[in-house]
Amino acid sequence: MRPEQQGVEVAVLVSVGRHPITGRARRADQDARGLELALGLERQLPGSRVRLLHAGPRGEESESALRGYLGMAAGAGMGLDTLTLLEQAEGSDAILALAEHLAAAPPQLVITGARAERGEGSGLLPYALAERLGWPLVNGLAAVEKVENGVATVLQALPRGQRRRLEVRLPAIVSVDGAAPAARQSAFGPARRAELEVTPVAAEPDQELAQWQLAPARKRPKRLKIVKAASARDRFKAAAAKAEGGSGQVLEGVSAEQGAEAILKLLEAEGVLR
């Protein structure tokens, strides 16, 4: 007899994103994809419950961005009308606050984006949380296939469109990126009517972040090779083909100075250095 699938308790960690052009606060793309994945569990696993969790300062701009997540759940039927905000000062360490909150009321599945759009953006938060809580971690999640007897069967996204099926014991932490389903639009009315449950937490300063020196990013260097193809077949051939020899040189038995000079000339010829 096939075991019956049951609903799961899911916590989605969300952050305040940053629009790549205007710089305004918005819902983060990867976190929104994680919520979309969680909302899809309602159709697949009836009885699933989703709660939203954010750690950071409270402000008018950030509150508007966080309500964008609540507007996604309009009509989902999962009771998602509140967001838990662990309020802490700017520059505080969010990992400690999130770990304590999740340990006090542990869900079966924690979904988070792979990388934040503001702040450090190192992508280490899922790994730090998994280490502190002692839970398994799966990165690059594409889909949750089933949950049976405390074990989730998931699909992990690999390069070149490949997928790998994994089984992970719950509770677990999973991170999503661009391979996860695209997020639906946010409904303005439900987003404004939803509530933010603010819970003040002790501020633990982020010692490592305080030692960083932040500066505007410089323009990226020019790519050495741009593949232009009109059809999908040509793009696939260009991606799968091995590099062919052209005007390159093979230097053998040369000194370090000669090798460095040859590399410098190539970079100047390609327009990377000026």
Side-chain angles (χ1 to χ4, degrees), residues 55-58 86-94 97 199-206 209:
R58 183 181 183 182
L86 305 180
E87 186 177 11
Q88 53 183 185
E90 187 75 30
S92 301
D93 192 352
T199 303
V201 295
E204 295 288 344
D206 194 336
L209 180 61

Side-chain angles (χ1 to χ4, degrees), residues 8-12 14 27 31-52 68-82 109 111 141 144 176 180-187:
V8 294
E9 294 285 339
V10 183
V12 182
V14 296
R27 61 176 188 179
D31 294 341
R33 289 175 180 266
L35 179 55
E36 181 67 32
L37 186 68
L39 295 177
L41 292 176
E42 170 64 14
R43 298 186 301 270
Q44 184 178 352
L45 303 174
S48 297
R49 302 288 296 179
V50 177
R51 52 189 170 106
L52 295 176
Y69 298 104
L70 292 167
M72 292 174 56
M78 305 185 72
L80 186 59
D81 54 1
T82 59
L109 191 64
I111 303 178
L141 187 73
V144 178
V176 300
R184 70 189 69 179
Q185 293 185 348
S186 178

Side-chain angles (χ1 to χ4, degrees), residues 37 109 138-139 141-147 151-157 163-168 170 174:
L37 186 68
L109 191 64
V138 178
N139 63 336
L141 187 73
V144 178
E145 291 189 330
K146 60 181 179 180
V147 177
V151 177
T153 303
V154 301
L155 287 181
Q156 184 185 40
R163 296 292 185 266
R164 175 167 57 188
R165 181 173 286 104
L166 300 173
E167 290 186 352
V168 56
L170 301 180
V174 297

Side-chain angles (χ1 to χ4, degrees), residues 4-241:
E4 182 181 357
Q5 299 189 43
Q6 299 178 349
V8 294
E9 294 285 339
V10 183
V12 182
L13 308 185
V14 296
S15 62
V16 179
R18 180 185 179 89
H19 195 278
I21 299 179
T22 63
R24 294 180 179 178
R26 64 166 189 176
R27 61 176 188 179
D29 177 70
Q30 293 183 355
D31 294 341
R33 289 175 180 266
L35 179 55
E36 181 67 32
L37 186 68
L39 295 177
L41 292 176
E42 170 64 14
R43 298 186 301 270
Q44 184 178 352
L45 303 174
S48 297
R49 302 288 296 179
V50 177
R51 52 189 170 106
L52 295 176
L53 182 61
H54 171 74
R58 183 181 183 182
E60 182 178 354
E61 188 179 28
S62 61
E63 181 175 339
S64 177
L66 294 175
R67 289 186 179 276
Y69 298 104
L70 292 167
M72 292 174 56
M78 305 185 72
L80 186 59
D81 54 1
T82 59
L83 182 148
T84 302
L85 172 60
L86 305 180
E87 186 177 11
Q88 53 183 185
E90 187 75 30
S92 301
D93 192 352
I95 297 177
L96 299 177
L98 291 174
E100 292 180 359
H101 184 85
L102 293 174
Q108 295 174 277
L109 191 64
V110 177
I111 303 178
T112 178
R115 188 182 303 272
E117 297 178 357
R118 288 190 172 194
E120 301 177 28
S122 63
L124 295 179
L125 186 140
Y127 298 91
L129 273 181
E131 181 181 13
R132 182 170 292 272
L133 295 173
W135 295 355
L137 169 68
V138 178
N139 63 336
L141 187 73
V144 178
E145 291 189 330
K146 60 181 179 180
V147 177
E148 295 177 352
N149 300 325
V151 177
T153 303
V154 301
L155 287 181
Q156 184 185 40
L158 299 178
R160 298 183 180 271
Q162 301 182 70
R163 296 292 185 266
R164 175 167 57 188
R165 181 173 286 104
L166 300 173
E167 290 186 352
V168 56
R169 175 70 63 177
L170 301 180
I173 300 177
V174 297
S175 64
V176 300
D177 51 23
R184 70 189 69 179
Q185 293 185 348
S186 178
F188 179 79
R192 302 307 302 175
R193 291 191 296 268
E195 298 180 0
L196 297 182
E197 296 182 352
V198 181
T199 303
V201 295
E204 295 288 344
D206 194 336
Q207 302 295 339
E208 296 183 0
L209 180 61
Q211 300 176 1
W212 289 16
Q213 294 183 356
L214 303 180
R218 297 185 300 175
K219 186 177 180 180
R220 293 185 177 182
K222 177 184 176 182
R223 292 180 178 269
L224 293 179
K225 182 180 180 181
I226 300 177
V227 178
K228 295 183 179 179
S231 64
R233 180 175 179 272
D234 294 338
R235 291 193 297 269
F236 177 78
K237 290 176 61 178

